[in-house]
Amino acid sequence: MIVNNMIVLGNDDFGEKLAEKLGTKFSRIEQRVFPDGEVCPRIIDGINDNHAVVALRMKLPLDPNMYLIEILFTIKNLKSLGVKKIDVVMPYFVYARQDKAFRKGEPFSAKYVIELLKEAGTSRFFTVTSHADRNKEKISLSDSAYSIDGFVAVGNYLKENNLKNPLIIAPDDGAEKFAETIAIHIGCEYAVFEKHRDLDTGSVSMKSSVDMKGKNVIIVDDIISSGGTMLKAIDLCKNNGAKSVMAAVVHVVSEKGIRNIKSLVAMDTIDSDVSKISVVELMADRIKSLI
Ligand code: R5P
């Protein structure tokens, strides 16, 4: 069934699959980048629809600034063309990690992004496992911003892979809820490592006395950025006797960060070689539930 007067506008197969699950049309946004780096995203189709879902996705290596401008220009363009309802699907919420001004004079970036999107004409905002308000389904920065729990899909993926003798590890207490969700889902135990990050150098230290002999360990986290957290956690698991170690995360945001991680699976919130778990069905279900 095709939903009338609704269209998904995207830049790759993520948007295409989302349109398929929503039972609506898809159109690719033409993306031009001029020699000076300025962008000119052009809407080819969708001008006559009442409801547009803008579902652009980034790929590694990321360019969050260009991505944000492309989205903002697309929303403003749709608005000026008379489209009434504009939803934004931002699978990876850029700038969400700056979810407060950590030091005086710094921007509250996550809030500013939400405000910019709203001012441009966004009706509703959808993302996946956001660092701002993590573990929550609603993002408190706006009454029309929703976050999908990517760990439901990560849990399904791990369950399908039927691991023997699994143990789930959270590399820090911020990831405990993720580990708990997965452990309940596949019916096994989980443990939480103690992490310390030096705020000046960014270097990470970690400790745990959990005995992992014979265990197939899965370390879960929302994000791999520099890779420091995950690499430290992998070493610690090996030192504590783990039989095998794999990492399962939602977002991978840098190529350098994942280069030395041998066994890794991520979600398709960002296009990369390890993005094997799809959030599209969960995303479509959430959008449909609010139509
Ligand atoms: C921390 O709060 C996050 O959940 C991740 O553990 C962290 O952002 C990963 O960063 P990195 O890969 O740079 O250690």
Side-chain angles (χ1 to χ4, degrees):
M1 186 193 69
I2 296 282
V3 178
N4 284 325
N5 286 325
M6 181 181 175
I7 191 162
V8 175
L9 302 174
N11 58 348
D12 63 7
D13 61 332
F14 182 88
E16 222 165 319
K17 287 180 198 152
L18 185 63
E20 203 180 296
K21 292 277 176 209
L22 286 170
T24 190
K25 299 165 288 181
F26 171 75
S27 178
R28 205 171 270 256
I29 288 178
E30 187 184 275
Q31 290 170 303
R32 283 179 75 193
V33 183
F34 294 112
D36 59 2
E38 290 181 356
V39 285
C40 181
R42 181 175 168 226
I43 299 161
I44 306 292
D45 195 11
I47 293 162
N48 299 317
D49 292 285
N50 290 329
H51 183 178
V53 179
V54 178
L56 298 173
R57 180 175 67 150
M58 287 189 290
K59 64 174 178 219
L60 291 182
L62 303 190
D63 188 340
N65 302 327
M66 183 190 276
Y67 175 69
L68 190 56
I69 288 290
E70 279 175 339
I71 293 175
L72 288 169
F73 284 6
T74 302
I75 301 162
K76 285 197 85 76
N77 205 3
L78 286 165
K79 199 84 192 154
S80 72
L81 291 164
V83 176
K84 298 271 177 303
K85 191 168 176 185
I86 304 163
D87 287 333
V88 170
V89 172
M90 191 185 265
Y92 175 63
F93 181 179
V94 290
Y95 290 102
R97 282 193 290 169
Q98 183 80 7
D99 55 359
K100 63 179 180 188
F102 290 93
R103 293 175 302 175
K104 201 164 191 281
E106 284 186 354
F108 186 171
S109 312
K111 181 166 170 266
Y112 299 165
V113 168
I114 293 283
E115 283 170 0
L116 285 168
L117 292 170
K118 201 157 192 166
E119 281 156 20
T122 303
S123 316
R124 299 177 305 180
F125 172 82
F126 296 89
T127 192
V128 184
T129 310
S130 155
H131 202 83
D133 289 315
R134 47 173 153 179
N135 306 319
K136 298 215 180 96
E137 288 196 348
K138 291 271 321 224
I139 293 174
S140 59
L141 299 170
S142 161
D143 53 10
S144 50
Y146 304 88
S147 183
I148 313 290
D149 183 0
F151 284 98
V152 173
V154 175
N156 286 337
Y157 175 89
L158 293 172
K159 199 168 183 179
E160 276 162 23
N161 277 274
N162 233 344
L163 290 160
K164 299 245 155 23
N165 224 0
L167 173 67
I168 309 297
I169 294 296
D172 56 32
D173 50 11
E176 178 166 1
K177 194 84 191 87
F178 310 147
E180 191 190 5
T181 303
I182 304 278
I184 291 172
H185 206 76
I186 61 179
C188 70
E189 293 192 325
Y190 74 91
V192 184
F193 285 174
E194 233 177 274
K195 176 173 111 177
H196 174 75
R197 190 188 290 272
D198 184 316
L199 289 179
D200 291 322
T201 63
S203 72
V204 167
S205 59
M206 217 172 262
K207 56 182 186 183
S208 161
S209 53
V210 177
D211 181 6
M212 300 181 185
K213 272 189 206 75
K215 295 282 185 191
N216 291 305
V217 173
I218 305 122
I219 307 167
V220 296
D221 208 352
D222 56 343
I223 191 165
I224 293 179
S225 179
S226 69
T229 299
M230 196 50 81
L231 286 171
K232 266 278 168 338
I234 291 170
D235 277 352
L236 191 49
C237 292
K238 286 182 182 160
N239 292 340
N240 286 10
K243 189 174 167 199
S244 72
V245 187
M246 80 177 278
V249 301
V250 177
H251 316 287
V252 287
V253 301
S254 96
E255 283 172 327
K256 193 165 167 268
I258 59 174
R259 198 170 293 153
N260 296 317
I261 302 172
K262 294 209 167 48
S263 179
L264 166 65
V265 65
M267 297 200 71
D268 59 355
T269 55
I270 285 164
D271 190 10
S272 80
D273 292 345
V274 295
S275 305
K276 300 200 173 102
I277 308 172
S278 184
V279 74
V280 168
E281 194 157 352
L282 292 175
M283 183 61 78
D285 287 348
R286 175 60 57 83
I287 295 172
K288 276 197 268 188
S289 74
L290 295 168
I291 283 175

